[in-house]
């Protein structure tokens, strides 16, 4: 299927290189979602704004997120940002949902967050050791081990512990989605898994015109 057949929505922010909507001036493309014939409706924009204003929790989340971003912009790691955000939100109990393959990294994160004064409860994706046959998974799935990754159990375990803010570390595509769905606490991601690129999935985006041009064929 060609790219042309996949543009029924028309162009959007993923086709823009101007970034004029950041408020620093400049031209808007004719397909801009901020200004012009393709702009998002005022009703939709106002609905989003009122959602913040009508929910004190959402408003505090947005305000503190912006403050943490601006206060140390480009000067602290994401690990530090998570701790700073959680502290400013008044959280005391953090949950970590980790891939079993990142237990070393998870131990370091637990050590850091405890050092910063948080209670931390960490659950591995293989906790419970449920065989893949129990969910009638394709036999090929046995090649990566006999037990399922269990993001729903991870979420429910952290819900049971009343975690206030949950952190994902390297859950697989799809498994992370199930965790987000069932977590009662808000979720952020510390590590996004990419087994090929050393957990730096953005790297491929810088090489689609060179080493990874094969992906565009």
């Amino acid at each position: 299927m060609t790219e042309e057949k996949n543009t029924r929505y028309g162009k959007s922010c993923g086709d823009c290189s101007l970034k004029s909507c950041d408020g620093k001036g400049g031209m808007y493309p004719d397909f801009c979602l901020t200004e012009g014939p393709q702009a998002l409706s005022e009703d939709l924009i106002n609905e989003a704004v009122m959602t913040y204003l009508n929910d004190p929790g959402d408003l505090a989340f947005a305000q503190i997120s912006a403050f943490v971003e601006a206060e140390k912009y480009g000067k602290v790691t994401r690990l530090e940002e998570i701790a700073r955000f959680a502290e400013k939100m008044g959280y005391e109990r953090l949950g970590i949902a980790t891939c079993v393959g990142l237990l070393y990294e998870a131990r370091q994160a637990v050590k850091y967050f405890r050092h910063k004064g948080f209670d931390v409860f960490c659950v591995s994706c293989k906790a419970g050791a449920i065989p893949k046959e129990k969910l009638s998974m394709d036999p090929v799935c046995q090649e990566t081990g006999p037990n399922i990754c269990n993001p729903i159990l991870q979420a429910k375990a952290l819900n049971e512990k009343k975690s206030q803010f949950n952190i994902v570390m390297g859950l697989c595509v799809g498994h992370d989605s199930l965790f987000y769905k069932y977590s009662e606490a808000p979720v952020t991601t510390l590590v996004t898994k990419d087994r090929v690129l050393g957990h730096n999935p953005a790297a491929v985006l810088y090489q689609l015109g060179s080493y990874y041009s094969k992906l565009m064929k």
Side-chain angles (χ1 to χ4, degrees), residues 16-168:
C16 178
S17 61
L18 300 178
K19 299 189 293 183
S20 299
C21 59
D22 65 3
K24 297 178 181 177
M27 299 287 291
Y28 290 98
D30 57 9
F31 57 84
C32 185
L33 303 188
T34 298
E35 184 176 289
Q38 303 299 320
L40 299 172
S41 71
E42 286 296 324
D43 286 345
L44 186 62
I45 293 171
N46 290 334
E47 180 184 344
V49 171
M50 292 308 298
T51 300
Y52 292 113
L53 296 178
N54 290 332
D55 188 313
D58 288 346
L59 182 59
F61 225 80
Q63 291 171 335
I64 292 175
S65 297
F67 180 82
V68 169
E69 175 196 15
E71 186 184 30
K72 297 285 185 179
Y73 191 84
K75 296 179 181 177
V76 298
T77 63
R78 187 174 180 88
L79 179 71
E80 295 169 282
E81 281 193 332
I82 291 173
R84 293 172 65 81
F85 176 81
E87 179 183 17
K88 292 184 183 302
M89 286 294 294
Y91 297 143
E92 297 177 352
R93 301 183 303 278
L94 303 182
I96 295 179
T98 186
C99 171
V100 72
L102 274 79
L103 277 177
Y104 170 81
E105 292 85 348
R107 289 198 304 273
Q108 302 311 306
V110 168
K111 183 185 301 184
Y112 172 76
F113 290 125
R114 285 176 177 162
H115 173 72
K116 301 301 289 185
F118 298 101
D119 289 327
V120 187
F121 193 79
C122 181
V123 186
S124 160
C125 62
K126 300 295 185 180
I130 306 299
K132 291 179 178 176
E133 290 91 342
K134 199 171 186 72
L135 297 187
S136 302
M137 292 185 173
D138 191 295
V140 72
C141 298
Q142 294 288 337
E143 295 179 9
T144 55
N147 296 329
I148 67 168
C149 295
N150 202 335
I152 293 179
L153 178 62
Q154 288 175 290
K156 289 184 176 294
L158 293 179
N159 294 343
E160 191 174 74
K161 291 296 181 180
K162 305 296 183 185
S163 58
Q164 296 168 296
F165 195 45
N166 289 334
I167 301 161
V168 164

